[in-house]
Amino acid sequence: MNIVVCMKETPSTTAEKSFSPDMRLERRKEDAIPNPFDEYAIEEGLRQQEKHAGSTVTILCMGPATATDTVRKALAMGGDRGVLVSDDALAGSDAISTAHVLAAALKKIGFDLVIFGNAAADAYGGIVPSATAELLGAPLLSYASKLDVDGSTATIERQADIGYNTVAAPMPTLVSVVKAINEPRYPSMKGIMASKKKPLDTFALADLGIDPATVGAAGAREKALSAEKVSTQRKGEIFIGNEGAADRVVAFLVEQKVL
Amino acid sequence: MVDTASARKAHQNHKVALPPATDLYNINSLLNEDERMVRDTVREFVKEQVLPIIGEHFEAGTFPRDLIPAVAQLGLLGMHLEGYGCAGMSAVCYGLACQELEFGDSGLRSFVSVQGSLAMFPIWAFGSEEQKQKYLPKMASGEFIGCFGLTEPDFGSNPSGMATTARKDGDSYILNGSKMWITNGGIADVAVVWAKAEDGIRGFIVERGTPGFTTSDVTHKLSLRASVTSELHFGDCRIPAANMLPDVRGLRGPLSCLDEARYGIAWGANGAARACYESALDYSKTRIQFDKPIGAFQLTQAKLADMATELVKGELLTLQLGRLKDQGNAHPVQVSLAKRNNVRQALNTARVARSILGANGITLEYPVSRHMNNLESVYTYEGTDEIHTLVIGQAVTGLAAFE
Ligand SMILES: Cc1cc2nc3c(=O)[nH]c(=O)nc-3n(C[C@H](O)[C@H](O)[C@H](O)COP(=O)(O)OP(=O)(O)OC[C@H]3O[C@@H](n4cnc5c(N)ncnc54)[C@H](O)[C@@H]3O)c2cc1C
């Protein structure tokens, strides 16, 4: 099985954030990490590879040229090779442009199963998986909290407020995963050493046959207007009374993955 | 040639951002990608897996054995050794891992130091090929736990006087004596023991279960409580002659292991110091007295400024030491200097941090008292502060003052 995991480079959640005058997040190379949501996608890719002998895992990333280091970070967890799509013309791309680029790269690489995290920790748009699926004409099994692949069918469980949905789609398919699906492994020391030797290809737009005018800031259909810091002040929530308070506390703890 | 004057001028209008309080000298920028990855991985592991449980282990006086598989999975056991299931990473990477582990607890860092630098290293450096094949992969995977027996009840700072003997008898050696204060002793599957043979001090690999070899744990400790410290007893303990480490004789064997381990300790102390400093800094900003955060008082700021300064100095010291070590140019006196300085400063930082936290500082809710107590052991083991003072004194004067 040819497994591709799409991974975005995001600034570390603890890094100080700053913005350029045109509201682009200023990215410092030393703060870059694989998008924390994508760690679950990578882990799921690796687990599927372990279950299905002979599978390969490719890490696909669209990002600045320096994102090779972030792809290597992902490869330190495991996987066989990395592909970085990087081009100066891509700076300032919106979600739809990103989906165009990923779809073109996926066609070039070939795939049976593509795994995404369900959002990126920096932009939090959450539409790249569905837009990519649409452009590829492939199904998307979204918000998977469990994934099973058997031969030609992928089946997921999707957690909804009222319970699970079990949903299946024929392969090749795209899947986006939520945190409940697994516990990502730490990169191991050997993994870090091995990641340096794994093949990592870089594609430019020309390699994918994409017109630079349709992507990047030039082709963006949306524009960020402002960015505000979330207040980091501690916030408490008080549940009063016997009526359902315990249930709400338990639900909160489950949501926080404490239970 | 670089035109420094004009470069300086060009920089004049560029406003330098305030560096973060926990990296005032931007030491992060001196690390390469691998080094940052190792640091961040171990940091995350400690935050997620160690910090939530370590206080309870400290209080109960138990070593968190459940962490061994995860530590092994990360590849931290013998990570700086090459081959035999080890990752073969640089000295700087190893140091950073020790630093982050000790941010969690000195007991956990001690476990990793002893396994990698005191038990695996002598087998790797001085062992026969058969010994390496037999022990190292299992020790890297955490299946075998190792310990290192040098100190004895009557010989601490001067191990050359050791009383433990190894008598050759046909194809065997017979060990007699005892070793004291041995980290991991009670949980070890393999002990690397130093004893006096006919031809001088020799290293021996003794497996748990060998008749005549027993261990008993030291209880009622007030320091390194989340670590196993034991006594090893040898009473006519017969081991195969093939268990002797063939490639080293004399005190150089154990001392070279200690040099490896105390290199990691110098780094580790930075981690303990950072934990105390961060805790005190955080507390000073939120604890209100006399209608102000206590961090707004000059006396508190002086404490924090000293802690921050010593942390920067300690980190720069170990990074340069690591760079020298990776070039093969680190001298033992440099390791002594870094161990002495960093542990001494970490201990001081822990004590001062404790004062900033007031009464809260004495509890296990905060890490500072735990680190403070732990660091008392770190101050003494792997060469006491005083002995390292004498090593530096000898290096600069050319005159030995040990006896
Ligand atoms: C928690 C813990 C774990 C340990 N783990 C291990 C282990 O795994 N393996 C192992 O072999 N050992 C281990 N040790 C032992 C440790 O290395 C010794 O405690 C240390 O070497 C000091 O020996 P000592 O305690 O006998 O003190 P002593 O040598 O008796 O020293 C007592 C005091 O006298 C000072 N002193 C001694 N000689 C001089 C001198 N010439 N000039 C000035 N001052 C002097 C010392 O600096 C110290 O202040 C451990 C110790 C502890 C506390």
Side-chain angles (χ1 to χ4, degrees), chain A residues 29-33 39 69-70 72-73 76 183 186-190 192-193 195-196 234, chain B residues 28 33-34 36-38 41-42 44-45 48-49 73-76 79 85-89:
Chain A
K29 183 174 144 25
E30 64 269 23
D31 291 336
I33 57 166
E39 286 183 12
D69 283 341
T70 306
R72 293 225 183 269
K73 272 187 203 171
E183 203 53 66
Y186 299 102
S188 72
M189 299 302 119
K190 275 196 227 167
I192 292 171
M193 296 302 275
S195 71
K196 289 190 273 197
R234 288 175 198 187
Chain B
N28 187 38
E33 203 52 47
D34 278 5
R36 279 200 281 264
M37 214 189 298
V38 169
T41 301
V42 181
E44 204 174 311
F45 166 73
E48 293 173 354
Q49 314 279 331
Q73 187 79 46
L74 275 165
L76 298 175
M79 64 181 273
C86 305
M89 300 199 100

mmCIF file of all heavy atoms in Angstrom, chain A residues 29-33 39 69-70 72-73 76 183 186-190 192-193 195-196 234, chain B residues 28 33-34 36-38 41-42 44-45 48-49 73-76 79 85-89:
data_model
loop_
_atom_site.group_PDB
_atom_site.id
_atom_site.type_symbol
_atom_site.label_atom_id
_atom_site.label_comp_id
_atom_site.label_asym_id
_atom_site.label_seq_id
_atom_site.Cartn_x
_atom_site.Cartn_y
_atom_site.Cartn_z
ATOM 1 N N LYS A 29 12.919 29.713 11.265
ATOM 2 C CA LYS A 29 13.298 28.338 10.999
ATOM 3 C C LYS A 29 13.467 27.528 12.285
ATOM 4 O O LYS A 29 13.018 26.394 12.376
ATOM 5 C CB LYS A 29 14.611 28.366 10.200
ATOM 6 C CG LYS A 29 15.120 27.019 9.783
ATOM 7 C CD LYS A 29 16.322 27.204 8.901
ATOM 8 C CE LYS A 29 17.391 26.144 9.097
ATOM 9 N NZ LYS A 29 16.997 24.871 9.603
ATOM 10 N N GLU A 30 14.089 28.153 13.302
ATOM 11 C CA GLU A 30 14.373 27.366 14.503
ATOM 12 C C GLU A 30 13.120 27.060 15.333
ATOM 13 O O GLU A 30 13.150 26.241 16.234
ATOM 14 C CB GLU A 30 15.474 28.004 15.369
ATOM 15 C CG GLU A 30 15.159 29.360 15.957
ATOM 16 C CD GLU A 30 15.597 30.515 15.056
ATOM 17 O OE1 GLU A 30 15.743 30.301 13.829
ATOM 18 O OE2 GLU A 30 15.778 31.626 15.582
ATOM 19 N N ASP A 31 12.002 27.728 14.996
ATOM 20 C CA ASP A 31 10.759 27.448 15.719
ATOM 21 C C ASP A 31 9.866 26.454 14.987
ATOM 22 O O ASP A 31 8.792 26.107 15.463
ATOM 23 C CB ASP A 31 9.946 28.749 15.900
ATOM 24 C CG ASP A 31 10.622 29.715 16.855
ATOM 25 O OD1 ASP A 31 11.406 29.241 17.693
ATOM 26 O OD2 ASP A 31 10.377 30.925 16.744
ATOM 27 N N ALA A 32 10.297 26.037 13.771
ATOM 28 C CA ALA A 32 9.402 25.229 12.945
ATOM 29 C C ALA A 32 9.314 23.796 13.447
ATOM 30 O O ALA A 32 10.316 23.185 13.807
ATOM 31 C CB ALA A 32 9.900 25.238 11.500
ATOM 32 N N ILE A 33 8.099 23.282 13.472
ATOM 33 C CA ILE A 33 7.872 21.878 13.844
ATOM 34 C C ILE A 33 6.792 21.308 12.931
ATOM 35 O O ILE A 33 6.071 22.057 12.283
ATOM 36 C CB ILE A 33 7.399 21.722 15.310
ATOM 37 C CG1 ILE A 33 6.117 22.539 15.562
ATOM 38 C CG2 ILE A 33 8.467 22.143 16.293
ATOM 39 C CD1 ILE A 33 5.406 22.189 16.844
ATOM 40 N N GLU A 39 0.927 15.014 13.568
ATOM 41 C CA GLU A 39 1.642 13.903 14.212
ATOM 42 C C GLU A 39 0.731 12.682 14.317
ATOM 43 O O GLU A 39 1.189 11.542 14.227
ATOM 44 C CB GLU A 39 2.110 14.302 15.615
ATOM 45 C CG GLU A 39 3.299 15.245 15.582
ATOM 46 C CD GLU A 39 3.804 15.570 16.976
ATOM 47 O OE1 GLU A 39 3.384 14.906 17.938
ATOM 48 O OE2 GLU A 39 4.623 16.509 17.075
ATOM 49 N N ASP A 69 14.043 20.494 6.873
ATOM 50 C CA ASP A 69 14.359 20.087 8.253
ATOM 51 C C ASP A 69 13.121 19.568 8.966
ATOM 52 O O ASP A 69 13.193 18.634 9.765
ATOM 53 C CB ASP A 69 14.927 21.270 9.045
ATOM 54 C CG ASP A 69 16.383 21.548 8.677
ATOM 55 O OD1 ASP A 69 17.028 20.637 8.119
ATOM 56 O OD2 ASP A 69 16.855 22.665 8.938
ATOM 57 N N THR A 70 11.994 20.186 8.693
ATOM 58 C CA THR A 70 10.754 19.761 9.353
ATOM 59 C C THR A 70 10.300 18.417 8.793
ATOM 60 O O THR A 70 9.798 17.563 9.529
ATOM 61 C CB THR A 70 9.671 20.843 9.183
ATOM 62 O OG1 THR A 70 10.211 22.071 9.662
ATOM 63 C CG2 THR A 70 8.422 20.506 9.967
ATOM 64 N N ARG A 72 12.326 16.191 7.751
ATOM 65 C CA ARG A 72 13.218 15.223 8.408
ATOM 66 C C ARG A 72 12.752 14.929 9.827
ATOM 67 O O ARG A 72 12.881 13.819 10.322
ATOM 68 C CB ARG A 72 14.661 15.738 8.424
ATOM 69 C CG ARG A 72 15.264 15.815 7.044
ATOM 70 C CD ARG A 72 16.675 15.266 6.978
ATOM 71 N NE ARG A 72 17.212 15.431 5.638
ATOM 72 C CZ ARG A 72 17.104 14.525 4.675
ATOM 73 N NH1 ARG A 72 16.518 13.367 4.907
ATOM 74 N NH2 ARG A 72 17.597 14.761 3.480
ATOM 75 N N LYS A 73 12.212 15.936 10.487
ATOM 76 C CA LYS A 73 11.667 15.695 11.839
ATOM 77 C C LYS A 73 10.553 14.661 11.772
ATOM 78 O O LYS A 73 10.465 13.775 12.617
ATOM 79 C CB LYS A 73 11.099 16.984 12.438
ATOM 80 C CG LYS A 73 12.119 17.799 13.165
ATOM 81 C CD LYS A 73 11.468 18.980 13.875
ATOM 82 C CE LYS A 73 12.522 20.040 14.104
ATOM 83 N NZ LYS A 73 11.982 21.302 14.584
ATOM 84 N N ALA A 76 11.919 11.338 11.273
ATOM 85 C CA ALA A 76 12.555 10.768 12.464
ATOM 86 C C ALA A 76 11.573 9.884 13.221
ATOM 87 O O ALA A 76 11.967 8.978 13.943
ATOM 88 C CB ALA A 76 13.085 11.875 13.370
ATOM 89 N N GLU A 183 -1.882 7.572 19.829
ATOM 90 C CA GLU A 183 -0.932 8.323 20.650
ATOM 91 C C GLU A 183 0.370 8.364 19.847
ATOM 92 O O GLU A 183 1.040 7.348 19.720
ATOM 93 C CB GLU A 183 -0.744 7.563 21.975
ATOM 94 C CG GLU A 183 -0.262 8.401 23.139
ATOM 95 C CD GLU A 183 -1.099 9.630 23.407
ATOM 96 O OE1 GLU A 183 -2.280 9.487 23.792
ATOM 97 O OE2 GLU A 183 -0.564 10.736 23.223
ATOM 98 N N TYR A 186 7.231 9.100 20.025
ATOM 99 C CA TYR A 186 8.306 10.093 19.998
ATOM 100 C C TYR A 186 9.300 9.657 18.941
ATOM 101 O O TYR A 186 9.517 8.462 18.759
ATOM 102 C CB TYR A 186 9.029 10.143 21.342
ATOM 103 C CG TYR A 186 8.153 10.534 22.493
ATOM 104 C CD1 TYR A 186 7.659 9.575 23.377
ATOM 105 C CD2 TYR A 186 7.828 11.863 22.717
ATOM 106 C CE1 TYR A 186 6.852 9.937 24.450
ATOM 107 C CE2 TYR A 186 7.027 12.225 23.790
ATOM 108 C CZ TYR A 186 6.542 11.254 24.648
ATOM 109 O OH TYR A 186 5.748 11.610 25.703
ATOM 110 N N PRO A 187 9.940 10.605 18.261
ATOM 111 C CA PRO A 187 11.035 10.178 17.392
ATOM 112 C C PRO A 187 12.106 9.543 18.278
ATOM 113 O O PRO A 187 12.332 10.007 19.390
ATOM 114 C CB PRO A 187 11.561 11.486 16.786
ATOM 115 C CG PRO A 187 10.765 12.596 17.333
ATOM 116 C CD PRO A 187 9.765 12.064 18.303
ATOM 117 N N SER A 188 12.719 8.467 17.837
ATOM 118 C CA SER A 188 13.764 7.853 18.655
ATOM 119 C C SER A 188 15.114 8.396 18.209
ATOM 120 O O SER A 188 15.235 8.983 17.136
ATOM 121 C CB SER A 188 13.740 6.336 18.497
ATOM 122 O OG SER A 188 14.232 5.992 17.219
ATOM 123 N N MET A 189 16.118 8.194 19.055
ATOM 124 C CA MET A 189 17.468 8.649 18.703
ATOM 125 C C MET A 189 17.922 7.999 17.396
ATOM 126 O O MET A 189 18.512 8.637 16.545
ATOM 127 C CB MET A 189 18.457 8.317 19.829
ATOM 128 C CG MET A 189 18.125 8.976 21.165
ATOM 129 S SD MET A 189 18.031 10.778 21.084
ATOM 130 C CE MET A 189 16.329 11.058 21.570
ATOM 131 N N LYS A 190 17.605 6.701 17.253
ATOM 132 C CA LYS A 190 17.984 6.027 16.004
ATOM 133 C C LYS A 190 17.195 6.583 14.833
ATOM 134 O O LYS A 190 17.711 6.711 13.725
ATOM 135 C CB LYS A 190 17.731 4.518 16.121
ATOM 136 C CG LYS A 190 18.862 3.784 16.767
ATOM 137 C CD LYS A 190 18.716 2.301 16.493
ATOM 138 C CE LYS A 190 18.901 1.533 17.772
ATOM 139 N NZ LYS A 190 18.488 0.145 17.693
ATOM 140 N N ILE A 192 16.149 9.600 14.546
ATOM 141 C CA ILE A 192 16.729 10.900 14.205
ATOM 142 C C ILE A 192 17.966 10.698 13.323
ATOM 143 O O ILE A 192 18.152 11.381 12.320
ATOM 144 C CB ILE A 192 17.065 11.695 15.491
ATOM 145 C CG1 ILE A 192 15.760 12.094 16.203
ATOM 146 C CG2 ILE A 192 17.910 12.930 15.180
ATOM 147 C CD1 ILE A 192 15.942 12.703 17.593
ATOM 148 N N MET A 193 18.795 9.720 13.693
ATOM 149 C CA MET A 193 19.995 9.443 12.892
ATOM 150 C C MET A 193 19.596 8.935 11.500
ATOM 151 O O MET A 193 20.170 9.330 10.491
ATOM 152 C CB MET A 193 20.883 8.393 13.581
ATOM 153 C CG MET A 193 21.463 8.826 14.908
ATOM 154 S SD MET A 193 22.456 10.321 14.822
ATOM 155 C CE MET A 193 24.044 9.634 14.348
ATOM 156 N N SER A 195 16.862 9.447 9.852
ATOM 157 C CA SER A 195 16.110 10.395 9.021
ATOM 158 C C SER A 195 17.021 11.151 8.068
ATOM 159 O O SER A 195 16.600 11.583 7.001
ATOM 160 C CB SER A 195 15.339 11.378 9.912
ATOM 161 O OG SER A 195 16.227 12.272 10.544
ATOM 162 N N LYS A 196 18.281 11.281 8.467
ATOM 163 C CA LYS A 196 19.215 12.033 7.615
ATOM 164 C C LYS A 196 19.524 11.293 6.322
ATOM 165 O O LYS A 196 19.959 11.883 5.351
ATOM 166 C CB LYS A 196 20.524 12.276 8.384
ATOM 167 C CG LYS A 196 20.345 13.281 9.499
ATOM 168 C CD LYS A 196 21.674 13.697 10.074
ATOM 169 C CE LYS A 196 22.107 12.744 11.158
ATOM 170 N NZ LYS A 196 23.158 13.267 12.018
ATOM 171 N N ARG A 234 -5.730 32.270 32.877
ATOM 172 C CA ARG A 234 -6.418 31.034 33.259
ATOM 173 C C ARG A 234 -7.913 31.268 33.274
ATOM 174 O O ARG A 234 -8.377 32.287 33.768
ATOM 175 C CB ARG A 234 -5.969 30.615 34.647
ATOM 176 C CG ARG A 234 -4.564 30.091 34.616
ATOM 177 C CD ARG A 234 -4.068 29.787 35.981
ATOM 178 N NE ARG A 234 -2.604 29.724 35.891
ATOM 179 C CZ ARG A 234 -1.831 29.354 36.879
ATOM 180 N NH1 ARG A 234 -2.337 29.020 38.014
ATOM 181 N NH2 ARG A 234 -0.535 29.328 36.715
ATOM 182 N N ASN B 28 19.918 28.503 21.807
ATOM 183 C CA ASN B 28 19.160 27.714 20.824
ATOM 184 C C ASN B 28 19.774 27.834 19.432
ATOM 185 O O ASN B 28 19.868 26.862 18.685
ATOM 186 C CB ASN B 28 17.710 28.208 20.814
ATOM 187 C CG ASN B 28 16.819 27.341 19.956
ATOM 188 O OD1 ASN B 28 16.969 26.114 19.935
ATOM 189 N ND2 ASN B 28 15.903 27.958 19.223
ATOM 190 N N GLU B 33 20.111 21.175 13.815
ATOM 191 C CA GLU B 33 18.769 20.603 13.728
ATOM 192 C C GLU B 33 18.633 19.310 14.542
ATOM 193 O O GLU B 33 17.666 19.122 15.267
ATOM 194 C CB GLU B 33 18.455 20.351 12.249
ATOM 195 C CG GLU B 33 16.994 20.299 11.950
ATOM 196 C CD GLU B 33 16.240 21.510 12.467
ATOM 197 O OE1 GLU B 33 16.688 22.659 12.267
ATOM 198 O OE2 GLU B 33 15.204 21.288 13.104
ATOM 199 N N ASP B 34 19.625 18.430 14.441
ATOM 200 C CA ASP B 34 19.594 17.169 15.203
ATOM 201 C C ASP B 34 19.558 17.448 16.691
ATOM 202 O O ASP B 34 18.824 16.814 17.443
ATOM 203 C CB ASP B 34 20.887 16.372 14.972
ATOM 204 C CG ASP B 34 20.843 15.591 13.696
ATOM 205 O OD1 ASP B 34 19.862 15.737 12.951
ATOM 206 O OD2 ASP B 34 21.817 14.846 13.438
ATOM 207 N N ARG B 36 18.589 20.111 18.278
ATOM 208 C CA ARG B 36 17.295 20.649 18.720
ATOM 209 C C ARG B 36 16.237 19.556 18.779
ATOM 210 O O ARG B 36 15.382 19.537 19.653
ATOM 211 C CB ARG B 36 16.828 21.765 17.786
ATOM 212 C CG ARG B 36 17.487 23.104 18.103
ATOM 213 C CD ARG B 36 16.680 24.246 17.526
ATOM 214 N NE ARG B 36 16.937 24.398 16.106
ATOM 215 C CZ ARG B 36 17.812 25.267 15.595
ATOM 216 N NH1 ARG B 36 18.471 26.073 16.377
ATOM 217 N NH2 ARG B 36 17.996 25.335 14.302
ATOM 218 N N MET B 37 16.323 18.641 17.819
ATOM 219 C CA MET B 37 15.319 17.574 17.768
ATOM 220 C C MET B 37 15.457 16.658 18.988
ATOM 221 O O MET B 37 14.464 16.263 19.598
ATOM 222 C CB MET B 37 15.479 16.766 16.473
ATOM 223 C CG MET B 37 14.153 16.272 15.921
ATOM 224 S SD MET B 37 14.301 15.105 14.557
ATOM 225 C CE MET B 37 15.109 16.057 13.312
ATOM 226 N N VAL B 38 16.696 16.339 19.334
ATOM 227 C CA VAL B 38 16.927 15.509 20.521
ATOM 228 C C VAL B 38 16.420 16.240 21.760
ATOM 229 O O VAL B 38 15.658 15.690 22.568
ATOM 230 C CB VAL B 38 18.434 15.187 20.676
ATOM 231 C CG1 VAL B 38 18.712 14.556 22.033
ATOM 232 C CG2 VAL B 38 18.903 14.282 19.550
ATOM 233 N N THR B 41 12.556 16.453 21.754
ATOM 234 C CA THR B 41 11.917 15.150 21.946
ATOM 235 C C THR B 41 11.982 14.736 23.414
ATOM 236 O O THR B 41 10.985 14.324 24.003
ATOM 237 C CB THR B 41 12.617 14.077 21.073
ATOM 238 O OG1 THR B 41 12.516 14.477 19.715
ATOM 239 C CG2 THR B 41 11.983 12.715 21.249
ATOM 240 N N VAL B 42 13.168 14.849 24.004
ATOM 241 C CA VAL B 42 13.309 14.431 25.402
ATOM 242 C C VAL B 42 12.525 15.384 26.310
ATOM 243 O O VAL B 42 11.888 14.961 27.274
ATOM 244 C CB VAL B 42 14.797 14.339 25.810
ATOM 245 C CG1 VAL B 42 14.932 13.888 27.254
ATOM 246 C CG2 VAL B 42 15.544 13.390 24.882
ATOM 247 N N GLU B 44 9.789 16.940 25.603
ATOM 248 C CA GLU B 44 8.372 16.599 25.509
ATOM 249 C C GLU B 44 8.059 15.320 26.288
ATOM 250 O O GLU B 44 7.065 15.233 27.003
ATOM 251 C CB GLU B 44 8.013 16.418 24.030
ATOM 252 C CG GLU B 44 6.552 16.620 23.728
ATOM 253 C CD GLU B 44 6.318 16.558 22.221
ATOM 254 O OE1 GLU B 44 7.058 17.232 21.470
ATOM 255 O OE2 GLU B 44 5.414 15.820 21.802
ATOM 256 N N PHE B 45 8.946 14.355 26.135
ATOM 257 C CA PHE B 45 8.785 13.093 26.867
ATOM 258 C C PHE B 45 8.734 13.353 28.373
ATOM 259 O O PHE B 45 7.869 12.833 29.084
ATOM 260 C CB PHE B 45 9.939 12.141 26.515
ATOM 261 C CG PHE B 45 10.064 10.971 27.447
ATOM 262 C CD1 PHE B 45 9.150 9.931 27.399
ATOM 263 C CD2 PHE B 45 11.082 10.922 28.389
ATOM 264 C CE1 PHE B 45 9.254 8.858 28.272
ATOM 265 C CE2 PHE B 45 11.183 9.853 29.269
ATOM 266 C CZ PHE B 45 10.272 8.822 29.213
ATOM 267 N N GLU B 48 5.503 15.082 29.380
ATOM 268 C CA GLU B 48 4.297 14.264 29.284
ATOM 269 C C GLU B 48 4.314 13.029 30.184
ATOM 270 O O GLU B 48 3.294 12.637 30.720
ATOM 271 C CB GLU B 48 4.073 13.836 27.827
ATOM 272 C CG GLU B 48 3.744 15.016 26.933
ATOM 273 C CD GLU B 48 3.688 14.643 25.456
ATOM 274 O OE1 GLU B 48 4.006 13.486 25.098
ATOM 275 O OE2 GLU B 48 3.334 15.519 24.665
ATOM 276 N N GLN B 49 5.480 12.410 30.298
ATOM 277 C CA GLN B 49 5.518 11.113 30.972
ATOM 278 C C GLN B 49 6.168 11.153 32.352
ATOM 279 O O GLN B 49 5.898 10.272 33.174
ATOM 280 C CB GLN B 49 6.297 10.085 30.117
ATOM 281 C CG GLN B 49 5.936 10.071 28.658
ATOM 282 C CD GLN B 49 4.672 9.281 28.392
ATOM 283 O OE1 GLN B 49 4.344 8.354 29.110
ATOM 284 N NE2 GLN B 49 3.936 9.676 27.369
ATOM 285 N N GLN B 73 12.902 2.804 24.277
ATOM 286 C CA GLN B 73 12.298 3.023 22.957
ATOM 287 C C GLN B 73 12.798 4.321 22.328
ATOM 288 O O GLN B 73 13.058 4.396 21.127
ATOM 289 C CB GLN B 73 10.772 3.095 23.137
ATOM 290 C CG GLN B 73 9.965 3.149 21.858
ATOM 291 C CD GLN B 73 9.835 1.780 21.240
ATOM 292 O OE1 GLN B 73 9.534 0.826 21.949
ATOM 293 N NE2 GLN B 73 10.086 1.664 19.953
ATOM 294 N N LEU B 74 12.946 5.341 23.163
ATOM 295 C CA LEU B 74 13.493 6.610 22.670
ATOM 296 C C LEU B 74 14.941 6.445 22.211
ATOM 297 O O LEU B 74 15.452 7.279 21.470
ATOM 298 C CB LEU B 74 13.435 7.660 23.778
ATOM 299 C CG LEU B 74 12.132 8.424 23.953
ATOM 300 C CD1 LEU B 74 12.119 9.133 25.300
ATOM 301 C CD2 LEU B 74 11.969 9.441 22.833
ATOM 302 N N GLY B 75 15.583 5.399 22.679
ATOM 303 C CA GLY B 75 16.973 5.159 22.278
ATOM 304 C C GLY B 75 17.967 5.924 23.131
ATOM 305 O O GLY B 75 19.079 6.214 22.693
ATOM 306 N N LEU B 76 17.570 6.246 24.377
ATOM 307 C CA LEU B 76 18.443 7.062 25.222
ATOM 308 C C LEU B 76 19.518 6.248 25.927
ATOM 309 O O LEU B 76 20.489 6.806 26.433
ATOM 310 C CB LEU B 76 17.605 7.805 26.269
ATOM 311 C CG LEU B 76 16.579 8.800 25.706
ATOM 312 C CD1 LEU B 76 15.733 9.390 26.828
ATOM 313 C CD2 LEU B 76 17.286 9.910 24.937
ATOM 314 N N MET B 79 22.998 6.069 24.039
ATOM 315 C CA MET B 79 22.761 6.777 22.771
ATOM 316 C C MET B 79 24.034 7.347 22.148
ATOM 317 O O MET B 79 24.089 7.571 20.949
ATOM 318 C CB MET B 79 21.748 7.911 22.977
ATOM 319 C CG MET B 79 22.211 9.012 23.914
ATOM 320 S SD MET B 79 20.955 10.296 24.137
ATOM 321 C CE MET B 79 21.341 11.370 22.743
ATOM 322 N N GLY B 85 23.245 -1.841 18.599
ATOM 323 C CA GLY B 85 21.897 -1.384 18.942
ATOM 324 C C GLY B 85 21.846 0.034 19.500
ATOM 325 O O GLY B 85 20.796 0.482 19.961
ATOM 326 N N CYS B 86 22.976 0.745 19.477
ATOM 327 C CA CYS B 86 22.997 2.116 20.002
ATOM 328 C C CYS B 86 22.950 3.110 18.836
ATOM 329 O O CYS B 86 23.327 2.794 17.721
ATOM 330 C CB CYS B 86 24.260 2.362 20.821
ATOM 331 S SG CYS B 86 24.471 1.157 22.143
ATOM 332 N N ALA B 87 22.478 4.317 19.141
ATOM 333 C CA ALA B 87 22.210 5.272 18.063
ATOM 334 C C ALA B 87 23.467 5.966 17.528
ATOM 335 O O ALA B 87 23.469 6.465 16.409
ATOM 336 C CB ALA B 87 21.204 6.315 18.534
ATOM 337 N N GLY B 88 24.524 6.017 18.311
ATOM 338 C CA GLY B 88 25.755 6.645 17.826
ATOM 339 C C GLY B 88 25.641 8.150 17.662
ATOM 340 O O GLY B 88 26.066 8.713 16.667
ATOM 341 N N MET B 89 25.063 8.792 18.659
ATOM 342 C CA MET B 89 24.875 10.238 18.538
ATOM 343 C C MET B 89 26.060 11.006 19.129
ATOM 344 O O MET B 89 26.890 10.455 19.836
ATOM 345 C CB MET B 89 23.589 10.644 19.240
ATOM 346 C CG MET B 89 22.389 9.952 18.638
ATOM 347 S SD MET B 89 20.858 10.772 19.027
ATOM 348 C CE MET B 89 20.566 11.664 17.535
#
